[in-house]
Amino acid sequence: MTAIVVVEDEPDIGDLLALYFRQEGWTVHVTDNGSDGLEAIRARRPDFIVLDVGLPGDIDGFDVCREVRRKSNTPILFLTARDDEIDRILGLEMGADDYVTKPFSPREIVARVKAIMRRGKDDPARSDICFDTILIDLDRHEVTVDDEPVALATQEWSLLAALAQHRGAVLSRQQLLDLAWGVDWIGDPRTVDVHVRQLRRKLGSDLPLVTVRGAGYRLG
Ligand code: CA
């Protein structure tokens, strides 16, 4: 049984999400502030967390996320009302799996939750990721096009692997730097663009590596 913790201080939104989630047969626990949210997450070990960014009190959604990420990879979907919050979700290495902006349709949230959980289930079992003629073998650090191995530089491979591991999700340049170069690496986010160009050149048009304007890149 899928268990979800929702941390959302607007009762209407919390109730609505709980209603839709329960219709899916999921167990839902709603809290309206960050410290109760953390407590519920600790006690219930949910399969999924829906987290409002703006919460009353000392602990906002970002704090909750950071705290959760110290110990677990439980998927987190952020709810956000403001553009500058989106910047922070994408810009910092928050470890969020996705976000939805308010106002939203509950159906959309249900669909996103399902998609993220599917992704999570696929990942450990399969180390091969396939796009048409391109096969990315994450375990063996190999990529082939039409069964022909393609030689990638170390950082090109790291970037491709980071994108493949988060396929379907938009990753900002900063997130990609953190994932592929490491959080200690200080450099120009445009480095990512240079390596993306290389990947596109080497792997060709079957690589579904999409530029998302103002946000970053998405594979798949
Ligand atoms: Ca709020």
Side-chain angles (χ1 to χ4, degrees):
M1 164 98 72
T2 299
I4 298 192
V5 167
V6 176
V7 189
E8 164 62 79
D9 59 305
E10 290 169 64
D12 290 352
I13 296 179
D15 290 350
L16 189 67
L17 288 177
L19 180 74
Y20 273 77
F21 290 166
R22 288 190 181 116
Q23 279 174 3
E24 297 294 324
W26 301 337
T27 307
V28 189
H29 182 81
V30 183
T31 70
D32 63 3
N33 67 79
S35 56
D36 286 353
L38 278 174
E39 189 54 47
I41 291 161
R42 257 192 295 270
R44 291 166 183 270
R45 300 178 172 277
D47 302 294
F48 202 96
I49 300 163
V50 176
L51 191 53
D52 187 28
V53 175
L55 294 168
D58 296 338
I59 304 176
D60 69 9
F62 292 131
D63 299 325
V64 173
C65 182
R66 260 191 300 271
E67 189 61 30
V68 170
R69 278 290 167 269
R70 289 173 51 197
K71 296 182 198 101
S72 90
N73 291 318
T74 309
I76 294 176
L77 176 77
F78 268 122
L79 306 177
T80 172
R82 303 203 318 253
D83 285 350
D84 57 329
E85 292 175 347
I86 297 171
D87 290 346
R88 284 191 67 195
I89 293 169
L90 292 171
L92 299 176
E93 183 40 50
M94 266 296 158
D97 293 86
D98 204 352
Y99 69 91
V100 172
T101 50
K102 297 177 180 178
F104 52 76
S105 104
R107 276 176 218 287
E108 184 192 353
I109 301 230
V110 168
R112 300 269 192 120
V113 170
K114 285 181 177 172
I116 293 166
M117 288 204 290
R118 253 196 322 269
R119 218 157 63 207
K121 278 193 189 102
D122 287 349
D123 283 345
R126 283 187 51 197
S127 72
D128 288 358
I129 294 168
C130 185
F131 301 105
D132 291 323
T133 59
I134 298 172
L135 186 70
I136 303 166
D137 187 332
L138 290 173
D139 279 348
R140 300 176 65 181
H141 289 215
E142 279 179 5
V143 56
T144 56
V145 179
D146 278 330
D147 295 328
E148 290 291 323
V150 178
L152 296 183
T154 308
Q155 287 309 333
E156 290 164 5
W157 168 261
S158 300
L159 179 63
L160 181 66
L163 285 158
Q165 278 159 343
H166 297 81
R167 62 189 178 281
V170 179
L171 297 174
S172 69
R173 287 171 179 77
Q174 188 60 51
Q175 282 177 310
L176 287 166
L177 282 178
D178 291 348
L179 290 166
W181 276 260
V183 283
D184 297 333
W185 194 85
I186 311 275
D188 192 328
R190 278 172 300 188
T191 306
V192 173
D193 303 338
V194 174
H195 285 75
V196 162
R197 271 200 298 277
Q198 286 294 89
L199 286 177
R200 283 177 173 150
R201 189 176 64 75
K202 289 185 175 179
L203 299 177
S205 57
D206 278 348
L207 186 73
L209 177 46
V210 182
T211 306
V212 182
R213 257 181 86 88
Y217 293 102
R218 186 187 76 225
L219 185 63

